[in-house]
């Protein structure tokens, strides 16, 4: 029986999830990542996963890694709050469960609820077991279809690789997409963010007690450390998985997402069976300040990228005016300046159906979206689960692999671009997205 070979361009959350899913189903998988090593650049901080992402992880990851992911995540109250600049409540809703990514009945490890993951920790978990699969320092330059139906990828260092399928999981600036769908448009959403964190405690103490390594261990979302630091913050910060404080459409906004680990990653990883080395990280609140790109106080993105941490915090203070609630200013005063970096938000336009072949796309490479609904990572991981299912089904039936690609692309365009549209609508209503 032919072992199908798949090349994945990009070692982000979606690409790594797909690698696990396909390897578990007998595919020969190679992931090519342009970064020279896994810690070459900042991977950001908090990422929220709801049912689409959690179900996708469960379907693709080895069970022990899924367990470790949940054990090292935080589960603040599963509500999203929107407040005005005086902290009056504008909206307060539960995080709604999404549909099962494989189109059938979900088989939850336990009932899915929203979790806040530390993105670098989750990525370390996803890299576990893939040491022989991920190739670093491999910047994709181009690809071409061969006469025998395979595809060859070519890299900047002179390497090339051939496979039955190339999956572009290479983000907003996707090289794979530019060649496959040159007409696909990714637009500037007209939003600029300053993103960072408010630390709540020191790193894990080496003698911190270990909790039971089980997915149903008591999980309050409140870590054991950092009590004094957390107590110094306004209680409303911890009442929701994410809180948006908005000045209104076209005005700046501020977002807060608490990450208080059920188990500190630095202790949980080595204690796991089998052990998984995880970098120690303390509890924190992810914090962002955003504004429309045309706000009078917002410099060009090129200038924004040139600002250091103190300058970014000073800019954020000018964006959030004196008439905002004092709690907001007190929180920004606690921002860790070394953690700050700017972001330009992009959003994709819907793409008409294209002829399926030995190349496809997932995640931001095809459906970049603004972060207002926290669905970017969820949808990328959902893509990985859906593509795993359709490719495995085609391989098991002896059908051409392109049949699985066709089924995946049909479903992905339907669910993903509806989320892109919803994110755009909500972004226009809440935070002045264009």
């Amino acid at each position: 029986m032919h072992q199908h070979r798949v090349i994945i361009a990009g070692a982000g959350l979606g690409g790594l999830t797909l690698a696990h899913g396909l390897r578990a189903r007998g595919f020969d998988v190679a992931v090519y990542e342009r970064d020279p090593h896994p810690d070459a650049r900042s991977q950001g901080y908090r990422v929220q996963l709801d049912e689409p992402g959690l179900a996708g992880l469960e379907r693709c990851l080895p069970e022990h890694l899924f367990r470790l992911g949940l054990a090292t995540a935080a589960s603040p109250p599963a509500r999203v709050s929107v407040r005005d600049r005086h902290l009056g409540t504008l909206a307060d809703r539960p995080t709604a469960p999404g549909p099962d990514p494989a189109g059938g009945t979900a088989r939850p490890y336990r009932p899915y609820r929203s979790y806040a993951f530390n993105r670098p920790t989750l990525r370390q978990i996803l890299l576990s077991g893939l040491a022989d699969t991920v190739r670093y320092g491999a910047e994709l330059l181009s690809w071409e279809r061969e006469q025998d139906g395979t595809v060859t990828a070519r890299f900047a260092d002179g390497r090339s690789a051939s496979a039955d399928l190339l999956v572009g999981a290479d983000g907003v600036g996707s090289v794979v997409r530019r060649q496959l769908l040159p007409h696909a448009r990714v637009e500037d959403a007209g939003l600029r963010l300053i993103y960072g964190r408010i630390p709540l405690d020191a790193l894990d103490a080496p003698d911190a007690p270990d909790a039971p390594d089980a997915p149903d261990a008591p999980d309050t979302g409140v870590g054991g450390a950092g009590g004094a630091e957390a107590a110094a913050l306004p209680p409303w910060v911890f009442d929701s998985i994410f809180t948006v404080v908005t000045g209104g459409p076209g005005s700046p906004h501020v977002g807060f997402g608490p990450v208080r680990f059920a188990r500190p990653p630095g202790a949980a990883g080595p204690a796991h069976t089998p052990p998984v080395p995880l970098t120690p990280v303390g509890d924190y609140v992810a914090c962002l300040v955003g504004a429309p790109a045309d706000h009078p106080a917002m410099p060009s993105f090129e200038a924004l990228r040139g600002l250091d941490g103190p300058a970014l915090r000073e800019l954020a203070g000018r964006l959030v005016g004196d008439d905002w609630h004092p709690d907001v200013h007190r929180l920004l005063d606690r921002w860790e300046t070394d953690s700050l970096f700017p972001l330009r938000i992009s959003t994709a336009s819907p793409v008409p159906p294209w002829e399926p072949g030995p190349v496809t796309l997932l995640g931001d490479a095809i459906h970049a979206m603004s972060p207002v609904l926290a669905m970017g990572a969820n949808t990328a991981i959902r893509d990985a689960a859906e593509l795993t299912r359709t490719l495995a089904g085609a391989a098991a039936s002896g059908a051409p692999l392109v049949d699985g690609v066709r089924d995946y692309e049909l479903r992905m365009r339907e669910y993903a671009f509806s989320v892109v549209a919803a994110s755009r609508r909500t972004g226009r209503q809440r935070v002045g997205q264009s």
Side-chain angles (χ1 to χ4, degrees):
M1 179 175 163
H2 173 65
Q3 184 182 31
H4 293 287
R5 181 167 174 78
V6 177
I7 292 172
I8 301 170
L13 302 184
L16 294 175
T17 301
L18 178 65
H20 278 289
L22 292 180
R23 275 176 44 124
R25 289 155 180 84
F27 287 74
D28 180 9
V29 181
V31 180
Y32 288 84
E33 167 58 48
R34 68 178 181 178
D35 287 346
H37 57 82
D39 302 318
R41 59 189 170 91
S42 171
Q43 297 296 322
Y45 304 111
R46 172 192 175 276
V47 59
Q48 178 180 322
L49 294 186
D50 303 299
E51 183 160 352
L54 294 168
L57 285 181
E58 188 182 12
R59 290 179 182 278
C60 292
L61 294 189
E63 181 176 339
H64 76 95
L65 292 183
F66 182 71
R67 289 166 59 96
L68 181 59
L70 293 186
T72 55
S75 57
R79 308 192 65 79
V80 174
S81 298
V82 182
R83 297 169 178 260
D84 63 28
R85 66 183 187 276
H86 306 300
L87 299 186
T89 300
L90 299 176
D92 184 44
R93 61 172 179 80
T95 54
D100 173 31
T105 301
R107 50 172 190 82
Y109 207 114
R110 54 178 172 176
Y112 293 123
R113 61 181 187 268
S114 299
Y115 285 84
F117 291 79
N118 183 53
R119 183 185 286 265
T121 300
L122 178 58
R123 191 163 181 263
Q124 286 182 318
I125 291 170
L126 290 173
L127 284 167
S128 180
L130 297 181
D132 61 341
T133 300
V134 182
R135 282 80 160 158
Y136 293 99
E139 180 183 358
L140 181 67
L141 291 183
S142 64
W143 54 267
E144 59 184 304
R145 302 184 189 190
E146 306 293 354
Q147 290 186 348
D148 63 358
T150 62
V151 59
T152 299
R154 305 195 185 281
F155 302 93
D157 61 1
R159 277 183 284 184
S160 64
S162 296
D164 300 295
L165 178 66
L166 168 65
V167 181
D170 48 345
V172 174
S174 172
V175 172
V176 179
R177 183 194 66 245
R178 286 202 300 266
Q179 191 173 336
L180 178 66
L181 303 172
H183 56 286
R185 292 185 297 121
V186 179
E187 303 169 348
D188 186 337
L191 285 178
R192 304 292 182 263
L193 303 182
I194 301 170
Y195 189 44
R197 44 179 255 157
I198 300 168
L200 295 182
D201 59 20
L203 296 183
D204 308 336
D207 59 348
D210 290 330
D213 183 17
D216 55 357
D219 183 1
T220 64
V222 180
E229 292 83 351
L233 301 186
W236 57 264
V237 172
F238 303 102
D239 287 345
S240 302
I241 196 167
F242 198 75
T243 299
V244 178
V245 184
T246 176
S251 298
H253 66 282
V254 186
F256 301 100
V259 182
R260 295 200 280 186
F261 296 103
R263 298 184 63 196
H272 185 68
T273 305
V276 177
L278 296 178
T279 302
V281 57
D283 295 349
Y284 64 91
V285 175
C287 175
L288 65 87
V289 172
D294 59 1
H295 188 280
M298 182 63 72
S300 69
F301 189 64
E302 290 70 24
L304 194 62
R305 290 179 63 185
L307 298 180
D308 61 13
L312 287 170
R313 186 162 71 174
E314 191 275 333
L315 171 61
R318 285 189 279 119
L319 290 168
V320 177
D322 293 339
D323 60 339
W324 287 53
H325 195 282
D327 277 1
V328 177
H329 290 281
R330 282 195 289 268
L331 285 160
L332 295 183
D333 287 343
R334 291 178 172 268
W335 237 355
E336 186 178 56
T337 55
D338 288 348
S339 73
L340 301 184
F341 62 92
L343 288 171
R344 174 172 52 197
I345 304 304
S346 301
T347 188
S349 297
V351 184
W354 61 90
E355 184 64 27
V359 181
T360 193
L361 300 159
L362 67 75
D364 284 350
I366 181 61
H367 50 65
M369 63 187 75
S370 65
V372 292
L373 295 182
M375 289 303 294
N378 278 284
T379 310
I381 294 171
R382 179 178 181 179
D383 291 347
E386 179 65 21
L387 185 54
T388 293
R389 182 186 70 85
T390 61
L391 293 180
S397 68
L401 213 58
V402 70
D403 287 1
V405 173
R406 177 182 293 106
D407 292 346
Y408 159 72
E409 290 176 347
L410 179 65
R411 282 181 49 77
M412 179 269 291
R413 283 194 304 269
E414 180 180 353
Y415 65 69
F417 282 107
S418 66
V419 178
V420 173
S423 296
R424 187 192 298 262
R425 286 194 303 271
T426 304
R428 285 172 172 167
Q429 294 166 0
R430 288 186 187 168
V431 296
Q433 177 178 339
S434 59

